[in-house]
Amino acid sequence: MRMNRWWMVVVVVAAFNDGQCASNAPMAGKEFEWDENGYIFFCLCMGRFGNQAAHFLGGLAMAKSLNRTLILPPWKVENFVQFDEFFQLKAILEYHRAIPARDFLAQFGQTRWPEDERVGICFAYPGGKQCTMDESDFHFAFWKAQGIKFVKSEPYHLPFDSSQRSTVDEWNARFPPLQYPVIALRGAPAGFPIKKEHNKLHQHLVWSDSIAAERDEVIAKNFPGGTFVGVHVRNAIDWVNACKLVDKTRGSSLMAAPQCVGYNAGVGSVTVEMCLPSPESIAEHTAEAVKRIGASGVFIATADDPMVSTIQAAVGPDVRVVALNARPQIDLAVLAASDHFIGNCVSSFSAFVRQERDAAGKASTFFNHGASQLSSIGHDDL
């Protein structure tokens, strides 16, 4: 049932809505063996979903380097959602040992990690103030949602570079498994922007069956049999303010900027136009992409203004414009499945899409960025 791709272009606009994912049933009857090497558990407490995903990949790498089982943390949308409601556990297990937080607490919470032995670990500079696990409302809400209270908290001041043997040795010496069966960290043991070598771990973030089914339904309904362009637009007021930092920082390490300008100093820097492209630029890039691949549809995800009239004028009077109020996870999944993707260099949301497309061998492009045909992470200078 292929749509005539030459006669009709459909533009679908999806507004981000951090709504709660419908609850999936726990893994009924699934039993996990206790790991004598210990566990690592952390809150994904930084920013929106794209930032959380970047931190998760860093934490996943750290768990493997320490040879501890990763307790998969819930995602924070409007409420906390179990990890495997969004992503498949089996794909994570292909890389390293892991257990959903729900299952860990149900199976080992009282016997192996009882309430009177729960110690929280939080980063603090030497001589700094006393650290606490509930430093912010976000942290407090996360641990409360898991039903976890800590009898005390201990500070640490160790690097996150899991690729260095010396770092791993420092962590293992500071937190031996017999004394610390669970390293429960206030936040993810990862930096931001994401480290270059952690991008490839995104191949283990595979959408759950429910998310994949919803993605496929959106595509089948709006682009039946046709090719489509996926576009991510950032233009909300918080983003406008964030882009003001470009001139102050030169933008080389601003959020997800390395995906365009590289991880090596001196390769380049982000411009204001890359961070906050004008409506005219967005419309022009979109129209060019539609023409180039002969697309029968365009899917636009945005947190604010969908720019329907501007895009419609750019692609012509026969374009059908549809507004879709999808959850961020559905927006991400649809964008990643598009035949051509245009993202924002600085956005970690765009970076999530680009990482998924890299894993699938699909190219990604970015507004006002010269390397328009290849995903930037593939370049040798990155």
Side-chain angles (χ1 to χ4, degrees):
M1 44 185 251
R2 300 285 296 180
M3 173 184 285
N4 187 332
R5 58 184 287 184
W6 304 108
W7 297 104
M8 184 176 182
V9 176
V10 179
V11 178
V12 177
V13 181
F16 292 167
N17 179 6
D18 279 348
Q20 183 179 11
C21 179
S23 177
N24 290 344
M27 301 174 66
K30 175 68 175 178
E31 291 292 326
F32 294 86
E33 293 185 2
W34 177 257
D35 186 357
E36 298 293 345
N37 293 304
Y39 295 78
I40 185 168
F41 193 11
F42 49 80
C43 172
L44 292 173
C45 286
M46 187 188 74
R48 298 180 181 179
F49 190 77
N51 291 10
Q52 293 176 42
H55 259 186
F56 170 77
L57 295 180
L60 176 62
M62 191 66 162
K64 187 174 181 67
S65 294
L66 296 179
N67 195 28
R68 284 176 173 260
T69 293
L70 176 59
I71 300 175
L72 295 168
W75 303 98
K76 178 65 171 71
V77 283
E78 283 190 353
N79 296 298
F80 291 98
V81 174
Q82 286 294 323
F83 183 92
D84 52 350
E85 291 191 21
F86 288 163
F87 299 102
Q88 296 180 18
L89 173 60
K90 65 181 181 180
I92 297 294
L93 295 177
E94 291 174 358
Y95 176 73
H96 187 60
R97 305 185 306 277
I99 179 174
R102 167 199 61 230
D103 297 280
F104 175 84
L105 293 170
Q107 202 166 325
F108 304 120
Q110 297 304 317
T111 58
R112 298 285 194 159
W113 197 45
E115 294 180 4
D116 60 352
E117 296 181 10
R118 295 176 180 174
V119 177
I121 310 298
C122 45
F123 183 89
Y125 290 102
K129 66 178 182 178
Q130 181 69 24
C131 70
T132 61
M133 295 296 285
D134 56 354
E135 183 179 54
S136 70
D137 291 342
F138 202 160
H139 294 92
F140 175 81
F142 175 84
W143 297 111
K144 182 179 180 181
Q146 314 319 310
I148 295 175
K149 291 184 178 180
F150 297 98
V151 294
K152 65 175 181 177
S153 59
E154 295 183 7
Y156 78 95
H157 183 62
L158 296 172
F160 297 149
D161 190 355
S162 56
S163 65
Q164 298 296 319
R165 183 69 243 180
S166 59
T167 297
V168 174
D169 291 342
E170 284 186 82
W171 276 81
N172 288 334
R174 173 67 178 83
F175 302 111
L178 285 178
Q179 186 178 352
Y180 298 91
V182 178
I183 299 178
L185 298 170
R186 182 173 61 194
F192 190 76
I194 186 173
K195 292 178 68 66
K196 177 186 175 182
E197 59 266 27
H198 295 164
N199 281 280
K200 63 184 180 182
L201 297 182
H202 193 104
Q203 65 185 295
H204 300 289
L205 283 179
V206 178
W207 294 111
S208 66
D209 290 344
S210 60
I211 296 293
E214 193 169 346
R215 172 202 62 201
D216 294 345
E217 182 181 355
V218 168
I219 294 174
K221 179 180 179 180
N222 294 286
F223 317 112
T227 58
F228 70 100
V229 173
V231 178
H232 177 217
V233 175
R234 288 301 309 263
N235 55 14
I237 187 61
D238 64 322
W239 192 253
V240 173
N241 291 331
C243 290
K244 293 178 181 178
L245 298 174
V246 169
D247 288 335
K248 296 180 180 179
T249 63
R250 294 189 67 246
S252 58
S253 60
L254 181 62
M255 292 181 273
Q259 70 179 334
C260 282
V261 299
Y263 285 85
N264 299 329
V267 171
S269 60
V270 170
T271 65
V272 174
E273 290 75 21
M274 292 163 68
C275 183
L276 189 66
S278 68
E280 294 76 17
S281 178
I282 292 171
E284 180 181 353
H285 278 75
T286 302
E288 288 177 352
V290 168
K291 182 178 180 180
R292 186 186 313 131
I293 70 169
S296 60
V298 178
F299 183 94
I300 301 178
T302 181
D304 193 61
D305 179 13
M307 305 190 323
V308 172
S309 59
T310 302
I311 293 172
Q312 186 160 5
V315 295
D318 295 329
V319 173
R320 179 186 174 205
V321 178
V322 179
L324 178 63
N325 188 27
R327 291 179 288 127
Q329 293 71 36
I330 304 305
D331 283 342
L332 288 166
V334 174
L335 289 173
S338 65
D339 298 280
H340 182 92
F341 172 64
I342 312 173
N344 185 296
C345 279
V346 183
S347 168
S348 59
F349 198 93
S350 283
F352 184 105
V353 177
R354 189 265 310 156
Q355 289 164 349
E356 183 170 344
R357 293 176 66 83
D358 279 0
K362 294 183 175 182
S364 300
T365 63
F366 300 89
F367 291 115
N368 298 319
H369 181 243
S372 60
Q373 293 301 317
L374 297 173
S375 172
S376 296
I377 289 298
H379 294 182
D380 293 337
D381 60 359
L382 302 188

